[in-house]
Amino acid sequence: MPVTSQLLRGLPRAKLLASGLLPCRQHQSQLGPITNRPPSRRPSHVSQSHQHSRSYQTTSELRSYILTPPQVNSILKANEYSFKVPEFDGKNVSSVMGFESNQLPANAPIEDRRSAATCLQTRGMLLGVFDGHAGCACAQALSERLFYYIAVSLLPHDTLCELEAAVEAGRALSPILQWHKHPNDYFSKEAQTLYFNSLRTYWQELIDLTSPGDVPDTHEALLNAFKRLDNDISLEAQVGDPNAFLNYWVLRVAFSGATACVAHIDGSDLYIANSGDARAVLGVQEEDGSFTAHTLSNDHSAQNEEEVARIRAEHPPSEKKTVIRQDRLLGLLMPLRAFGDVKFKWSIELQKCVLESGPDQLHENEHCKFIPPNYHTPPYLTAEPEITHHKLRPQDRFMVIGSDGLWETLHRQEVVRIVGEYITGVSQRQPLKVGGYKVSLGQMQELLDERKARESSAFEDQNSATHLIRHSVGNNEFGTVDHERLSKMLSLPEELARMYRDDITIIISQFNPHVIGAQRQDGQS
């Protein structure tokens, strides 16, 4: 069988075009064409591997392999992590029973990041998914820094003063966060001093702006933390650093970009701060045992009419047709809010000045060289989050935070159904769907047998996020996990994997309905 046929056989028709492969719909790249090339062509600055992907149809070395189930499981489980909250930690009983997370790369290296931590001062839990573009640097910085900015923003005036006094006296600081990290979750040791100094400057300003007895507001804390970190990322790149590595690093962070979707859960109060197109969805269990999806965040993309109207209102009427083109900001950027991405925030003069004085490696990055078209009235982009508050109820069983690589492949209701069935161990038998295809009785029997086999082994995964990724990558047109398809998708070479799907990062938190019910009663009494 020809190589191309091996790759195409068994894949959904939506992924095919004549004898070629279609890139995944939304993320041909987060950044679109940067020249006057036709928009259907892949942007040349995405990565070196993508630049060579056009030749795959004639490359004799290209192969996809049928992996064994243990090999598939090894790939899917490589980045899984779980954390169970102690039932009683000496202060209170948590509304969060625990969480599970996982990542599946498409880019090499993966551009998504994730973070999870407990705020030791408030006992609130922080969960975040960060989706990078034009490299992983900005997402990496967010995964290390944003929770510290949020935690500091939530500290009362007196505690901030204690922190500053400890630093002044050279004493050890009381920890602010308890991190819940997978061994693969990298932290940059070289940048920690730089990061700490910026954070300290922030809490010094908070001390000046607050008074003893002030109680921080969670909404304002999240808003200020997002905006301040993005400002610090920009400022650090402008100032530079005497250390050559750090100088290059802060510029990489600023010129790349990342979206962020963060949850703060404290008791029955659930806050979502979102900038970009990652998404948080609540799984609500109905009286009949089924699950429905309640979306907690709005995507900041061209499909969001209010977001498009907001951006157009911030610029002159003469830019109405150019500020959003081809469903992208200035025809280039898909998310309409993001950290970093100073190409869409700084003036042209500032960009040229910083690049001219920057390291030579930065000049080799094609993404940094160009000025966006119709760039007249910056900034065009903000990291300011949209914040939503939800009061948890006993029927709110879990929450899924996922990068858009998940939501591109599965509808939110399907995501909630899959996770709900996994958590409860009860399969909601949906009518068998065949997607408009003509199916013989024999084929129908095969599909029923497949579903029976799938249900018997549906809960073999020990991690709900792994289980969801298995469905996200392996579902066929009939809505069942197809091992052959899953195997082919996981064995695609690096230069092809990104054409079929995006990086996928998932965090699933499970709630304690008995604790939430008691907390709601206490709040009403």
Side-chain angles (χ1 to χ4, degrees):
M1 182 182 294
V3 173
T4 305
S5 299
Q6 289 181 4
L7 289 168
L8 301 187
R9 191 167 69 86
L11 296 180
R13 297 179 184 181
K15 295 288 186 183
L16 309 181
L17 181 62
S19 62
L21 296 173
L22 277 179
C24 59
R25 176 186 59 80
Q26 189 171 1
H27 278 71
Q28 294 182 15
S29 167
Q30 292 275 17
L31 292 167
I34 60 174
T35 69
N36 291 325
R37 294 177 303 191
S40 61
R41 300 267 307 267
R42 177 167 292 278
S44 61
H45 68 278
V46 177
S47 74
Q48 291 292 327
S49 62
H50 293 163
Q51 294 176 12
H52 301 299
S53 63
R54 301 189 195 96
S55 63
Y56 71 88
Q57 288 177 310
T58 59
T59 302
S60 60
E61 296 299 319
L62 189 57
R63 296 289 187 274
S64 71
Y65 301 95
I66 299 300
L67 305 174
T68 65
Q71 288 173 324
V72 167
N73 288 339
S74 178
I75 294 171
L76 291 179
K77 297 179 179 184
N79 297 306
E80 67 179 15
Y81 179 83
S82 62
F83 176 77
K84 184 178 180 181
V85 176
E87 290 187 15
F88 187 71
D89 61 5
K91 290 188 177 181
N92 58 353
V93 180
S94 175
S95 58
V96 180
M97 296 171 64
F99 70 87
E100 296 174 326
S101 71
N102 202 349
Q103 293 185 294
L104 182 67
N107 291 291
I110 186 172
E111 294 184 344
D112 281 5
R113 293 293 186 272
R114 60 183 166 177
S115 290
T118 301
C119 293
L120 294 176
Q121 300 291 333
T122 66
R123 309 308 306 168
M125 179 169 280
L126 287 165
L127 304 169
V129 167
F130 312 103
D131 188 347
H133 47 265
C136 62
C138 189
Q140 177 61 42
L142 296 187
S143 71
E144 298 183 47
R145 306 180 70 180
L146 183 55
F147 284 7
Y148 279 116
Y149 278 69
I150 294 172
V152 164
S153 300
L154 288 168
L155 293 178
H157 177 89
D158 292 346
T159 306
L160 291 171
C161 292
E162 291 172 8
L163 277 177
E164 180 59 21
V167 176
E168 285 286 341
R171 299 195 305 270
L173 295 178
S174 300
I176 300 173
L177 296 172
Q178 176 191 355
W179 289 96
H180 311 301
K181 297 189 297 182
H182 186 279
N184 292 348
D185 294 342
Y186 170 75
F187 268 45
S188 171
K189 294 181 180 178
E190 297 88 349
Q192 292 307 307
T193 300
L194 171 69
Y195 292 170
F196 177 80
N197 289 337
S198 293
L199 182 67
R200 183 186 179 190
T201 301
Y202 178 43
W203 83 49
Q204 288 172 337
E205 293 182 16
L206 287 176
I207 290 173
D208 293 338
L209 293 171
T210 58
S211 303
D214 287 352
V215 178
D217 176 76
T218 304
H219 184 285
E220 288 300 311
L222 290 166
L223 184 70
N224 293 336
F226 271 59
K227 292 168 67 175
R228 178 55 181 247
L229 177 54
D230 191 52
N231 183 73
D232 282 354
I233 287 172
S234 175
L235 186 61
E236 289 161 1
Q238 293 175 50
V239 172
D241 194 280
N243 180 295
F245 171 81
L246 284 180
N247 192 43
Y248 179 48
W249 175 249
V250 296
L251 288 166
R252 279 185 58 198
V253 170
F255 277 89
S256 61
T259 66
C261 187
V262 172
H264 179 266
I265 312 160
D266 192 357
S268 59
D269 289 306
L270 168 59
Y271 284 87
I272 300 292
N274 183 53
S275 291
D277 50 11
R279 189 182 301 171
V281 172
L282 200 63
V284 182
Q285 189 167 28
E286 304 297 340
E287 291 184 1
D288 64 359
S290 64
F291 286 87
T292 56
H294 175 68
T295 304
L296 295 167
S297 62
N298 295 311
D299 294 355
H300 299 130
S301 66
Q303 282 65 51
N304 183 335
E305 294 181 1
E306 291 185 4
E307 189 70 2
V308 171
R310 176 190 68 79
I311 291 174
R312 285 182 171 152
E314 293 174 353
H315 300 277
S318 58
E319 296 186 59
K320 182 179 180 180
K321 293 183 178 180
T322 59
V323 69
I324 303 289
R325 293 180 58 248
Q326 298 175 339
D327 288 342
R328 297 170 183 259
L329 184 66
L330 297 177
L332 297 171
L333 190 65
M334 291 205 70
L336 302 184
R337 300 192 195 191
F339 284 83
D341 283 320
V342 294
K343 301 292 296 184
F344 299 87
K345 297 173 180 176
W346 289 355
S347 68
I348 293 175
E349 293 74 18
L350 179 57
Q351 291 186 41
K352 289 181 177 179
C353 179
V354 170
L355 285 173
E356 286 173 2
S357 60
D360 292 339
Q361 301 100 305
L362 207 65
H363 296 208
E364 299 168 6
N365 187 328
E366 188 176 347
H367 168 59
C368 297
K369 292 179 181 178
F370 77 102
I371 300 296
N374 303 299
Y375 197 79
H376 306 301
T377 55
Y380 289 89
L381 187 66
T382 180
E384 180 174 330
E386 186 174 5
I387 298 171
T388 54
H389 174 239
H390 177 80
K391 203 76 172 175
L392 288 171
R393 307 158 297 175
Q395 62 265 39
D396 298 332
R397 294 296 303 277
F398 60 87
M399 176 181 62
V400 180
I401 307 176
S403 59
D404 64 344
L406 170 66
W407 310 109
E408 286 175 359
T409 58
L410 292 174
H411 187 272
R412 62 182 180 276
Q413 184 57 45
E414 185 71 358
V415 166
V416 164
R417 182 190 66 79
I418 292 168
V419 176
E421 289 181 0
Y422 176 90
I423 288 176
T424 61
V426 177
S427 176
Q428 304 293 328
R429 286 183 173 271
Q430 304 294 324
L432 190 62
K433 297 179 182 178
V434 294
Y437 295 88
K438 292 184 178 180
V439 180
S440 68
L441 288 175
Q443 290 171 319
M444 180 65 76
Q445 182 62 48
E446 288 180 12
L447 289 171
L448 290 169
D449 290 341
E450 279 183 22
R451 181 158 86 167
K452 184 177 180 180
R454 174 171 61 90
E455 289 177 355
S456 65
S457 61
F459 310 119
E460 63 184 13
D461 292 315
Q462 301 301 307
N463 183 298
S464 57
T466 305
H467 187 68
L468 188 52
I469 288 177
R470 188 184 299 273
H471 278 265
S472 174
V473 178
N475 268 15
N476 59 20
E477 57 266 41
F478 303 113
T480 61
V481 175
D482 183 321
H483 173 73
E484 184 175 352
R485 170 177 168 76
L486 182 61
S487 172
K488 288 180 177 179
M489 291 292 282
L490 294 179
S491 63
L492 285 171
E494 289 179 0
E495 65 268 23
L496 275 185
R498 185 61 181 79
M499 298 182 69
Y500 279 93
R501 57 179 175 81
D502 196 1
D503 298 328
I504 298 174
T505 298
I506 299 168
I507 300 178
I508 300 173
S509 57
Q510 211 172 328
F511 302 121
N512 191 329
H514 305 294
V515 171
I516 292 170
Q519 289 173 340
R520 288 177 66 91
Q521 287 182 351
D522 291 343
Q524 293 169 0
S525 60

